[in-house]
Amino acid sequence: MIRTPLIQRVSQALARGSGVRESFEAQLSRFLDLVEQAVLTGDTAWIEPILFDWAKAPTETDLEQGQYHVAFLMNRIISLTIEVAREMLDEREALELIATVTPVYTYGLEMVTRYEMETRVAHITSEMSTLHQKMEQLNRSKSSFISVAAHELKTPLTLIEGYSAMMTDLALSAQQAGMGELLEGVNTGIIRLRQIVDDIIDVSLIDNQLLALNLQPLQIGQLLNLLGGELRGSIDARKQLFEIKDFEGSRAWIYADPGRVHQALGNILSNAIKFTPDEGRITVDGRALPGFLEVTITDTGIGISLEDQALIFEKFGQLGRAELHSSGKTKFKGGGPGLGLAIARGIVQAHGGSLWVESKGYDEQALYGCTFHILLPSRTGPDDARFARLFENLESKTETYGQEENRTDHPTA
């Protein structure tokens, strides 16, 4: 007798909007059907399935804010049932109805309170586990940074100290003829040290989403040819075969940051040179895809194991002991701070693209090699609407924090 008015009263009190109210009323009608079955059979378990579904369906926002919506709903159903019964039934009928449904309602309220609490505890446990994993990762990164920084900064600093000592001796003995060569050595050490420091700054900008992009028209093919010329000395020294193919889209004009794309591709190419043995082959190819331009860099190097293919893109990623490798940008299996590929990935992702690697595995005899895939959006203008949202967050953070200061490689990048 009070079923329809009760559904309407609860729906009007709790549901907003006709579409939401219609769905809510259907759920409420199902709930009351189960309440009737529980009353007729004397088994309160009839209402468990629907309340379990309600209690197990909170949003992440609800969980984070500690909201308990189903317990609130049950309390409102109880209070509105009493209210409607008093309005539409005489006193005896109202008391009988309330006395009949109260045990079922009470059981339901206890059940959803328990379910919601369990869900909340599970959410907090998951959050704590995630936080614990992040803290462990942070501690590992800090330890790796100390180890790598100590090793990598030691090489250029030792170089500077050595040449400085020799220059001092020459100056004292008035033998000035070799001073230019020694000063060049000092400059080499300074440049290497600056590169390491610049890489650390870039990683910091990427981590804080403050990497500013200066979008300009560019041709990927032209940029690749420029990089090929810059790396020619290292390639020739290693007696490697280097080929840049004229692929579809390589001559198309797209909007990107030339400096940053040059940096990203340069890091990946340097990585390929470093982990490809002498007389190996490095091939640059690509293709045009709907909305994107893909560049592939394939080498015949030592490859990388499947389990390490994600690690190489993490900052300070080192797959070997830092103190056991030599430092160098293109020396075979040369070491580094482990930032090159992390920076490359951050730059590509800042453009709205993607970077990943494929390799059958790591083997210095079989030389499985690997292929890096660089996917860049083929933006046709600086105000391309597809990318407007991508940079909104970056621009707001840049305004807040101020102006910019400015490897998946193999064992290290």
Side-chain angles (χ1 to χ4, degrees):
M1 181 175 178
I2 70 167
R3 178 191 180 94
T4 300
L6 176 60
I7 292 175
Q8 293 176 348
R9 186 75 60 86
V10 176
S11 176
Q12 291 172 357
L14 298 177
R16 298 291 183 269
S18 58
V20 175
R21 187 173 297 140
E22 181 178 351
S23 175
F24 181 79
E25 288 178 354
Q27 287 285 319
L28 189 57
S29 178
R30 178 187 167 207
F31 170 73
L32 293 178
D33 287 339
L34 296 174
V35 171
E36 290 180 8
Q37 289 295 327
V39 170
L40 291 174
T41 62
D43 184 4
T44 54
W46 278 92
I47 65 173
E48 289 185 5
I50 189 170
L51 293 182
F52 180 84
D53 290 342
W54 289 355
K56 292 296 183 181
T59 65
E60 284 294 318
T61 301
D62 295 337
L63 290 170
E64 291 171 0
Q65 296 179 353
Q67 300 292 335
Y68 299 95
H69 293 300
V70 186
F72 173 77
L73 171 62
M74 281 298 303
N75 276 311
R76 291 294 288 158
I77 291 175
I78 293 171
S79 63
L80 289 173
T81 298
I82 297 172
E83 182 178 305
V84 173
R86 286 177 174 175
E87 292 176 0
M88 303 194 64
L89 302 175
D90 61 41
E91 185 175 348
R92 182 182 60 82
E93 291 175 332
L95 287 174
E96 288 179 355
L97 176 64
I98 294 170
T100 301
V101 299
T102 293
V104 180
Y105 280 174
T106 302
Y107 174 80
L109 181 59
E110 291 174 351
M111 189 186 73
V112 297
T113 301
R114 184 177 71 252
Y115 281 164
E116 287 191 320
M117 185 62 69
E118 289 172 354
T119 303
R120 178 66 179 166
V121 169
H123 173 73
I124 294 174
T125 301
S126 176
E127 290 290 297
M128 291 180 65
S129 176
T130 301
L131 181 60
H132 180 67
Q133 292 175 1
K134 289 182 177 179
M135 291 298 294
E136 287 184 340
Q137 183 178 1
L138 178 61
N139 286 332
R140 287 195 298 270
S141 295
K142 288 166 59 179
S143 299
S144 297
F145 171 78
I146 294 171
S147 175
V148 173
H151 175 74
E152 289 300 318
L153 295 177
K154 183 179 180 179
T155 300
L157 288 175
T158 300
L159 190 63
I160 293 171
E161 289 173 355
Y163 281 112
S164 297
M166 285 187 283
M167 282 190 296
T168 301
D169 292 339
L170 278 176
L172 292 174
S173 61
Q175 298 177 8
Q176 303 294 327
M179 186 62 71
E181 183 178 346
L182 295 175
L183 288 173
E184 184 179 350
V186 172
N187 189 55
T188 299
I190 293 173
I191 291 173
R192 178 66 179 137
L193 184 58
R194 179 178 292 276
Q195 289 172 341
I196 295 171
V197 174
D198 287 346
D199 283 350
I200 294 174
I201 292 173
D202 283 345
V203 163
S204 177
L205 292 171
I206 291 169
D207 283 348
N208 291 285
Q209 300 181 14
L210 293 173
L211 187 68
L213 298 178
N214 180 21
L215 301 180
Q216 299 179 28
L218 65 86
Q219 291 180 320
I220 288 295
Q222 186 179 39
L223 195 60
L224 288 169
N225 289 330
L226 177 63
L227 277 167
E230 294 174 356
L231 295 171
R232 177 55 59 186
S234 298
I235 294 168
D236 290 343
R238 299 287 310 284
K239 299 180 181 179
Q240 294 170 337
L241 299 177
F242 183 71
E243 179 184 9
I244 301 175
K245 295 187 176 181
D246 188 14
F247 56 88
E248 179 188 2
S250 63
R251 299 180 184 276
W253 289 98
I254 65 171
Y255 268 78
D257 187 321
R260 289 301 187 182
V261 175
H262 178 280
Q263 181 182 7
L265 294 175
N267 287 351
I268 299 169
L269 283 170
S270 296
N271 186 78
I273 296 170
K274 184 187 299 185
F275 293 100
T276 300
D278 292 358
E279 301 181 2
R281 176 184 292 273
I282 299 168
T283 304
V284 181
D285 202 351
R287 58 177 174 165
L289 298 172
F292 289 90
L293 186 63
E294 181 182 22
V295 178
T296 59
I297 299 175
T298 303
D299 63 59
T300 58
I302 59 180
I304 183 168
S305 63
L306 297 177
E307 60 269 22
D308 289 331
Q309 288 180 18
L311 178 62
I312 59 175
F313 288 111
E314 297 297 329
K315 57 183 179 293
F316 307 119
Q318 295 285 343
L319 304 188
R321 294 174 59 186
E323 68 273 16
L324 296 183
H325 60 60
S326 59
S327 179
K329 295 289 285 185
T330 54
K331 186 182 298 184
F332 183 49
K333 295 195 297 182
L339 299 176
L341 291 180
I343 292 172
R345 182 183 63 175
I347 290 172
V348 172
Q349 290 179 343
H351 280 83
S354 183
L355 170 62
W356 70 97
V357 68
E358 293 179 343
S359 178
K360 292 182 180 180
Y362 172 85
D363 194 311
E364 295 192 23
Q365 301 301 321
L367 297 177
Y368 293 126
C370 63
T371 299
F372 283 87
H373 297 261
I374 304 98
L375 203 62
L376 289 171
S378 52
R379 297 184 69 197
T380 57
D383 57 349
D384 193 325
R386 291 175 298 163
F387 296 87
R389 184 174 299 177
L390 178 67
F391 297 108
E392 284 178 359
N393 189 42
L394 174 62
E395 291 172 355
S396 64
K397 284 178 176 285
T398 302
E399 291 175 0
T400 302
Y401 294 104
Q403 298 296 322
E404 169 189 345
E405 290 184 26
N406 248 30
R407 245 172 231 187
T408 276
D409 59 15
H410 301 273
T412 179

